[in-house]
Amino acid sequence: SFIWSMKTLSILSVLGNIFIFAGLGLVLVYVLLHTDWTEDTSNMLVGRASNMPIFFGMAIYSYEGIGLVLPLRAEMLEPEKFPYVVSGGVFVVLTGQIVFGVLGFLCFGYDIGAIITFTLSKGVIGSLAQIAVSLCVYLTYPLMFYVAVDILIVPAKDIFTNFHSFTVEFWLRTTLVMLTFMFAVLIPHIDLFIALIGAMASCSLALIFPPMIYIMVFRPPLKKRVVCMMIILFGMVGAVMGTTYALKDIVCVLSGLPKGGDWPCKPPPGH
């Protein structure tokens, strides 16, 4: 997190991607080896429509990376090829979500955890997969961290004018890292937190603000403007519903009640 060069961070990001692919490969091997392919899954209920807002928030969170678009494009040797890079990245993420979502559910059923690596047994393959994913998070965190520091460093230096700029940036980075660690330790249900962040922040950054800015800056023709307005409306509906249901499930879990699509929270039968 104290590396200030985007080019150096890109090397760490490549290493992180190697580890995540290794971890995903190990998870895939584990799932394929432990799935009962003879079991009849035709009657398995994958989900309920009332849980769609939570899914929406988590899905948007996994796709949203708008904060890295401008920094990455600015550092590219051939920025004109950036749309192809984005399209390829989205295709890889989409394929991975479908494959691991379906195979994970076939293997673990309703016992699957919020993070699939938490569901793996403590054998060799499961432990290696958890180590690989942890190393990926460790190595790619500084790249995501770069954007936050880039945004906050200017107002921080304006506030603490009596201190050297290096000192201000050093303590800003240290504080942000400690806050990240604190949230990681204190938040017990990461799936609900991801859904909340996805609905509140990622949805606005990915679906609402970009078409709004596009309309105001480029003044497109009516056809494109209608498309942009439809995207904005879809994003606003998803953001409101996703945020509402994520907050409801968080309150349910913290109150000792089961999470789910019913509103309000209801205690289990017999309580």
Side-chain angles (χ1 to χ4, degrees):
S1 300
F2 292 96
I3 299 175
W4 297 2
S5 171
M6 176 66 82
K7 293 183 178 180
T8 305
L9 292 177
S10 64
I11 299 175
L12 296 179
S13 179
V14 171
L15 294 176
N17 289 331
I18 294 174
F19 279 114
I20 191 60
F21 280 113
L24 293 177
L26 290 169
V27 171
L28 184 61
V29 171
Y30 182 97
V31 169
L32 293 176
L33 291 176
H34 290 79
T35 299
D36 184 5
W37 300 103
T38 62
E39 182 182 0
D40 182 18
T41 59
S42 58
N43 295 323
M44 292 183 69
L45 180 63
V46 178
R48 296 185 300 174
S50 56
N51 288 330
M52 283 299 295
I54 298 296
F55 167 77
F56 176 81
M58 298 182 70
I60 291 295
Y61 181 90
S62 65
Y63 280 103
E64 198 282 310
I66 193 69
L68 288 174
V69 169
L70 293 179
L72 288 178
R73 189 180 187 280
E75 295 292 335
M76 288 183 65
L77 295 177
E78 300 179 63
E80 65 276 3
K81 296 183 179 180
F82 186 73
Y84 303 103
V85 176
V86 174
S87 300
V90 171
F91 176 77
V92 171
V93 172
L94 176 62
T95 304
Q97 285 187 331
I98 294 175
V99 170
F100 286 93
V102 172
L103 293 180
F105 188 75
L106 290 176
C107 180
F108 301 108
Y110 299 104
D111 295 327
I112 192 169
I115 301 177
I116 193 170
T117 52
F118 291 173
T119 316
L120 305 181
S121 61
K122 298 301 181 181
V124 176
I125 297 179
S127 299
L128 289 176
Q130 292 177 353
I131 292 172
V133 173
S134 299
L135 289 174
C136 168
V137 174
Y138 178 77
L139 292 173
T140 55
Y141 172 81
L143 184 62
M144 306 296 291
F145 188 77
Y146 179 91
V147 179
V149 173
D150 191 50
I151 294 174
L152 296 176
I153 188 60
V154 174
K157 289 181 178 180
D158 291 339
I159 295 173
F160 300 100
T161 55
N162 295 329
F163 296 90
H164 192 274
S165 60
F166 176 84
T167 303
V168 175
E169 185 159 355
F170 175 84
W171 284 109
L172 175 63
R173 290 174 178 268
T174 302
T175 303
L176 291 177
V177 170
M178 295 303 297
L179 286 174
T180 305
F181 175 78
M182 181 183 69
F183 285 129
V185 172
L186 295 179
I187 297 174
H189 300 277
I190 189 64
D191 54 333
L192 297 179
F193 184 73
I194 287 177
L196 179 63
I197 297 299
M200 289 183 61
S202 301
C203 192
S204 300
L205 293 174
L207 297 176
I208 299 177
F209 291 147
M212 288 178 61
I213 295 174
Y214 178 79
I215 292 175
M216 291 186 292
V217 173
F218 294 99
R219 303 290 181 178
L222 180 60
K223 185 177 180 180
K224 290 186 176 181
R225 196 174 304 178
V226 171
V227 173
C228 290
M229 294 302 296
M230 292 177 63
I231 296 175
I232 293 173
L233 180 61
F234 175 76
M236 293 179 66
V237 172
V240 172
M241 294 187 63
T243 301
T244 302
Y245 276 83
L247 288 173
K248 188 269 299 182
D249 278 357
I250 290 174
V251 172
C252 289
V253 171
L254 294 179
S255 303
L257 300 175
K259 60 182 180 180
D262 296 328
W263 186 280
C265 304
K266 296 182 180 179
H271 285 246

